[in-house]
Amino acid sequence: MRSDSNLKNIIDARLAELTVSHDLEDRIRCASLHKKRYLQKPWTVVIIVCICIMISIPAMASKIPVFQDLVQMIDPALARFLQPIELVSEDKGIQMEVVAAMSDGETAIVYITLQDLTGDRVDRTVDLYNYSIDDANIFSHELVDYNEKTKKATIRMIANGGHQLNGKKVTIRISSFLSGKDDYGQIATDIKLTDVVHETPKTMKLDMSNIPGGGGELYSEFEKRGTVDILKVDEKTVALPPIDFAQISNIGFVQGRLHIQLKWKESIDDHGSLYLLNANGDRIDPSNLYFGVDEQGNIGYGRQYIEYIFDVNPSQISNYSLHGSFIRNKKYTEGKWAVTFQIEAEDPSKKIARNIDLGHLKLDHIIIQPTGIRMNGNMTTPDQVVVEMTMKDGKKVSYNHAVAQGAKGSLSVKYFPTSPVDLQNMKEVRVNGELITFE
């Protein structure tokens, strides 16, 4: 627990940073009372400073435990890395608070909370939908904690390109989020894939330059072709119980590969995927292409349909069954939440290993920082790289997602842990089971 003198120093330091916007200056001069969306800062007129001190000291003193709660939640050893922010924006009875931030010169991490003060629109399935972080070239987020009693969700935002944020004012904006998520898990379909072997489905040409995107191992091949033969839309209507927001609109073999076309009913962000399983439970995921159809029946840009393409030929199909996994979001909440603050905290600590040869994986270097592990080199499948860190106390640190930049075969990939890591307490790092030696 902090002593009174430490608390006083924190408050004094916070007050020294306060400034008042021109908008607040005008409001004070006019002596009008308006509710402010989030904390603003002082001006140079003495009477205004005095007013701000009287208002701000109780607010800041009451908010200091919010930062302490966060530190205890993630890891007390990380307190020295984190910069307390504690600024609030409220709209439509929902409060967003930016609690703390940190930067290691490459990646910025910001912890925020969302709390529904009047209802149950924030739950443990909350997922930010439309949001942004100024000057970040890649950003993502994940739920850290949800408090059922207070209905408060703690969310960690990761902004790649943190070197552009250091020492600058940035704004985090949220304009919508999803909640009330239903996860249907693995669904076994009743479709007999052997029944479609002898069918000859009708096809159409899809222009790869006029679609919103797709994915999978075959996607680069399709891009090089320029056009791809896909199934004609709405030739079939096959339900996927208990799913009522998507249905199979066609299925068949095209040029020796299994194509399955999925049509989505209009929704905000209901999503899912189809995949194959063999008798041993081994899974085959497809490549996929998103596209739409206009009122005249012309195919092109849109996300109404997904064409799943499995690299499985008719002679192999008897070994597989078709399954799916789907998620539905029942609540979509819009509003205007925004907080502007300055990221000052920076921890430049790092460990470097160079010229790593792991057989199929050859790396120029590995750089470990508190926010993540970056690997540069000959990497074709970054999602198949397993990073394991062990701390001195025996604790294991998992790295659950990655951001890749560059061309296939020569990539720069950063893997992110579930929470920032204190490198002073690191014992060892293994990549695909191999011990890495750092300088």
Side-chain angles (χ1 to χ4, degrees):
M1 183 176 295
R2 288 186 172 124
S3 66
D4 292 342
S5 60
N6 286 340
L7 181 60
K8 180 180 183 299
N9 291 337
I10 291 171
I11 295 174
D12 288 344
R14 286 301 188 80
L15 292 175
E17 296 175 355
L18 294 175
T19 60
V20 166
S21 67
H22 294 301
D23 176 63
L24 182 56
E25 174 190 339
D26 292 338
R27 294 183 185 194
I28 293 173
R29 285 177 172 174
C30 295
S32 59
L33 297 176
H34 295 279
K35 181 179 180 182
K36 298 196 65 57
R37 182 158 294 178
Y38 54 85
L39 192 63
Q40 300 278 356
K41 295 187 168 185
W43 197 48
T44 54
V45 177
V46 173
I47 187 170
I48 297 177
V49 173
C50 292
I51 292 173
C52 288
I53 288 175
M54 289 188 293
I55 293 173
S56 300
I57 287 178
M60 283 184 281
S62 66
K63 285 183 175 297
I64 285 173
V66 179
F67 175 78
Q68 289 299 318
D69 289 345
L70 173 66
V71 169
Q72 293 298 321
M73 182 188 302
I74 55 176
D75 187 349
L78 298 175
R80 64 188 179 90
F81 297 142
L82 291 171
Q83 171 193 350
I85 304 297
E86 297 166 337
L87 297 179
V88 171
S89 173
E90 186 179 326
D91 188 28
K92 296 183 177 178
I94 294 174
Q95 177 178 286
M96 178 186 82
E97 179 173 6
V98 177
V99 181
M102 67 175 290
S103 171
D104 61 12
E106 180 179 85
T107 301
I109 291 180
V110 181
Y111 289 93
I112 72 166
T113 62
L114 282 181
Q115 184 177 23
D116 193 339
L117 305 176
T118 61
D120 59 355
R121 293 161 292 179
V122 177
D123 60 21
R124 64 174 56 258
T125 71
V126 66
D127 187 14
L128 304 184
Y129 189 69
N130 287 318
Y131 69 104
S132 64
I133 303 173
D134 283 357
D135 295 327
N137 50 41
I138 301 175
F139 46 86
S140 62
H141 72 281
E142 61 182 346
L143 183 70
V144 175
D145 179 72
Y146 179 73
N147 188 309
E148 297 281 357
K149 184 177 180 179
T150 61
K151 299 180 182 179
K152 179 184 290 187
T154 301
I155 297 170
R156 180 177 64 141
M157 288 184 172
I158 300 174
N160 218 33
H163 61 282
Q164 297 178 359
L165 308 179
N166 290 334
K168 296 182 180 179
K169 286 187 176 181
V170 297
T171 300
I172 288 180
R173 296 180 178 87
I174 299 176
S175 56
S176 63
F177 63 86
L178 304 163
S179 58
K181 183 183 297 181
D182 285 334
D183 189 340
Y184 291 87
Q186 180 175 304
I187 296 173
T189 70
D190 296 328
I191 297 172
K192 293 183 179 180
L193 298 175
T194 53
D195 291 346
V196 304
V197 171
H198 303 294
E199 297 181 10
T200 304
K202 296 178 181 179
T203 61
M204 307 181 298
K205 295 287 185 182
L206 179 65
D207 182 358
M208 289 293 293
S209 64
N210 191 30
I211 64 172
E217 294 182 357
L218 300 174
Y219 189 82
S220 58
E221 174 189 324
F222 301 148
E223 278 189 311
K224 291 178 181 178
R225 287 190 203 171
T227 60
V228 180
D229 289 329
I230 63 171
L231 299 167
K232 187 175 180 180
V233 299
D234 299 329
E235 289 289 289
K236 297 180 183 294
T237 303
V238 181
L240 295 168
I243 304 302
D244 62 358
F245 49 88
Q247 64 185 27
I248 292 176
S249 51
N250 207 347
I251 183 172
F253 283 89
V254 179
Q255 298 177 351
R257 288 169 171 158
L258 177 64
H259 285 231
I260 303 177
Q261 187 182 96
L262 205 63
K263 181 179 182 179
W264 297 85
K265 292 183 180 179
E266 185 175 349
S267 65
I268 297 297
D269 191 45
D270 296 336
H271 57 280
S273 63
L274 297 174
Y275 53 91
L276 301 178
L277 290 179
N278 64 16
N280 296 324
D282 300 323
R283 173 169 168 162
I284 293 183
D285 290 302
S287 298
N288 59 77
L289 302 170
Y290 289 84
F291 66 96
V293 176
D294 62 21
E295 294 179 354
Q296 289 72 43
N298 301 313
I299 63 172
Y301 199 90
R303 302 181 68 87
Q304 185 182 2
Y305 295 85
I306 302 178
E307 186 94 353
Y308 294 104
I309 304 171
F310 295 88
D311 199 7
V312 175
N313 62 49
S315 65
Q316 300 170 315
I317 200 62
S318 62
N319 299 321
Y320 297 98
S321 57
L322 181 64
H323 298 256
S325 58
F326 296 89
I327 291 175
R328 181 169 204 171
N329 295 285
K330 293 181 291 187
K331 296 179 183 178
Y332 176 70
T333 304
E334 293 183 301
K336 294 181 179 179
W337 300 274
V339 166
T340 299
F341 60 98
Q342 187 165 314
I343 297 182
E344 295 288 359
E346 180 176 340
D347 174 46
S349 61
K350 64 179 65 174
K351 295 180 181 292
I352 301 176
R354 306 180 193 273
N355 300 321
I356 303 101
D357 188 346
L358 301 177
H360 68 288
L361 187 65
K362 294 179 173 57
L363 303 174
D364 299 326
H365 59 258
I366 297 177
I367 300 176
I368 296 184
Q369 295 175 285
T371 60
I373 296 178
R374 177 169 294 285
M375 300 184 190
N376 288 59
N378 183 15
M379 304 175 67
T380 56
T381 53
D383 58 331
Q384 295 179 2
V385 174
V386 178
V387 180
E388 299 173 318
M389 178 183 289
T390 304
M391 308 305 286
K392 292 177 181 178
D393 61 0
K395 179 182 176 182
K396 302 289 185 180
V397 178
S398 60
Y399 289 75
N400 57 355
H401 64 284
V403 171
Q405 294 174 293
K408 185 177 181 180
S410 179
L411 293 176
S412 176
V413 184
K414 187 156 188 177
Y415 299 86
F416 298 99
T418 52
S419 67
V421 175
D422 185 353
L423 298 187
Q424 293 182 356
N425 295 324
M426 185 186 82
K427 178 182 178 182
E428 66 176 31
V429 172
R430 293 181 181 269
V431 176
N432 290 352
E434 296 291 332
L435 181 64
I436 305 300
T437 302
F438 291 91
E439 297 175 356

